[in-house]
Amino acid sequence: MITTSPFVTAEGRLNEEVDALGQLSVSHLKVRGREMSETETTRQFGHPDDRGVVTCRIESRDGGEVARITLDHPGKMNSVGSAMMTALTEAFAGLGRRPGLRAVVIRGAGNKAFVGGAFLPELFTLDPAQARDFIWRMHLVFKSIRDCPVPVIAGIHGYCLGAGTELAAACDIRIADETTTFGMPEVRVGMPSLIEAALLPLLIGWGKTREMLMTGANYSAREGFDMGFFQTVCEAGGVDAAVERTVSNIFAAGPLAVRAQKRLINTWEELTPDEGIALSVDYMAEAYEGGEPQRMIAPLISRKKS
């Protein structure tokens, strides 16, 4: 059984609503550029034409919750500016405090794009100091996704370029349909690919990373699957069904085990194989301290005896 919580709109109350996500039964968050908190709108960043919207809907089902985040920048291919950056970072901070959360799904609104890149009108107005601030805040968005304690799934269609590719790289699982075009075109607008582009060698290897970043070329979903960027590629319009299969598989696993597994995988990225193996032993002991292996193995033992 799946139930969806009603809507809550943040109007200058973004921090309060996000902080309350762990306690409220209603948890639909909508943030627009002109509805950011006063401290955000009075800083030196932001653009008056930024109409980016982030919507976070919580679904309750047997076994826990799924957060469904939609990125919507109408007419701008869901490009990410300051409005979306603020909303996403704070929304993930709130989601991380929900003990019943099992998975997060990120989709782009409309049929043209997942995320078409950073919001170019804002990029165009930056001076060097503002550019440093902008890219650091973009990094904090992606870090909040990687730090989320449960699996984050990117459901991708249409254009997934620049910041969109980096956002997808920060997710744990990437599912794309055949309409997807992705790449890192920053060098074609006079800047190198930065921040979470550093994740790409882990995903697609150094050779393909060099080609992608130094040429700014675009790639199809099938090419992305072949290079290891996308774990699943489905027919056009099939992303929702493919995402649901993945969510169901996550719900079939132990919730504490999945959270521990994500923490361990993130740690493995920074360790040698021997260090990662040694750390894994501690995680095994912690799992048994929590009792989840005993609870999940018991029915299997009973079934074999009967």
Side-chain angles (χ1 to χ4, degrees), residues 102-103 149-151 249-265 292:
R102 301 290 304 276
V150 301
N249 286 335
I250 291 169
F251 269 68
L256 298 179
V258 172
R259 285 177 174 240
Q261 191 66 75
K262 178 166 180 176
R263 291 196 308 273
L264 191 56
I265 291 171
E292 192 167 84

Side-chain angles (χ1 to χ4, degrees), residues 35-99:
E35 296 174 350
M36 294 165 66
S37 65
E38 183 177 350
T39 55
E40 291 294 338
T41 55
T42 56
R43 292 183 193 174
Q44 63 181 1
F45 52 78
H47 190 279
D49 294 332
D50 188 350
R51 296 293 185 273
V53 177
V54 172
T55 303
C56 181
R57 189 178 77 249
I58 302 297
E59 287 182 1
S60 296
R61 57 173 76 186
D62 293 340
E65 299 173 337
V66 179
R68 296 189 179 274
I69 292 176
T70 303
L71 310 178
D72 187 5
H73 200 162
K76 306 296 182 182
M77 293 203 304
N78 302 328
S79 58
V80 177
S82 287
M84 275 194 188
M85 285 193 280
T86 300
L88 275 169
T89 302
E90 297 190 355
F92 269 98
L95 291 173
R97 295 191 290 272
R98 296 186 74 92

Side-chain angles (χ1 to χ4, degrees), residues 139-153:
H139 159 67
L140 294 179
V141 173
F142 304 144
K143 184 177 186 300
S144 71
I145 294 171
R146 284 173 55 79
D147 289 345
C148 182
V150 301
V152 181
I153 304 165

Side-chain angles (χ1 to χ4, degrees), residues 97-172:
R97 295 191 290 272
R98 296 186 74 92
L101 190 68
R102 301 290 304 276
V104 179
V105 178
I106 304 178
R107 295 296 314 271
N111 57 16
K112 290 185 177 180
F114 172 66
V115 171
F119 185 43
L120 288 180
E122 184 169 2
L123 285 180
F124 182 70
T125 65
L126 301 178
D127 62 29
Q130 291 169 332
R132 179 186 294 273
D133 180 82
F134 181 92
I135 202 66
W136 179 251
R137 288 183 292 115
M138 187 75 79
H139 159 67
L140 294 179
V141 173
F142 304 144
K143 184 177 186 300
S144 71
I145 294 171
R146 284 173 55 79
D147 289 345
C148 182
V150 301
V152 181
I153 304 165
I156 301 166
H157 68 284
Y159 290 104
C160 176
L161 301 173
T165 294
E166 292 177 73
L167 191 156
C171 295
D172 301 290

Side-chain angles (χ1 to χ4, degrees), residues 137-243:
R137 288 183 292 115
M138 187 75 79
H139 159 67
L140 294 179
V141 173
F142 304 144
K143 184 177 186 300
S144 71
I145 294 171
R146 284 173 55 79
D147 289 345
C148 182
V150 301
V152 181
I153 304 165
I156 301 166
H157 68 284
Y159 290 104
C160 176
L161 301 173
T165 294
E166 292 177 73
L167 191 156
C171 295
D172 301 290
I173 299 170
R174 290 163 293 281
I175 297 171
D177 75 9
E178 291 179 337
T179 69
T180 298
T181 297
F182 81 106
M184 297 291 290
E186 284 83 351
V187 292
R188 299 195 180 194
V189 292
M191 65 187 77
S193 295
L194 306 164
I195 53 174
E196 269 60 24
L199 299 175
L200 290 174
L202 297 171
L203 300 173
I204 63 175
W206 281 104
K208 208 65 184 177
T209 297
R210 288 175 182 273
E211 175 189 299
M212 183 182 295
L213 301 191
M214 292 182 182
T215 66
N218 290 339
Y219 301 85
S220 69
R222 291 293 172 186
E223 289 173 313
F225 178 81
D226 290 342
M227 68 178 73
F229 188 73
F230 299 122
Q231 289 100 321
T232 300
V233 172
C234 57
E235 62 184 10
V239 171
D240 286 337
V243 165

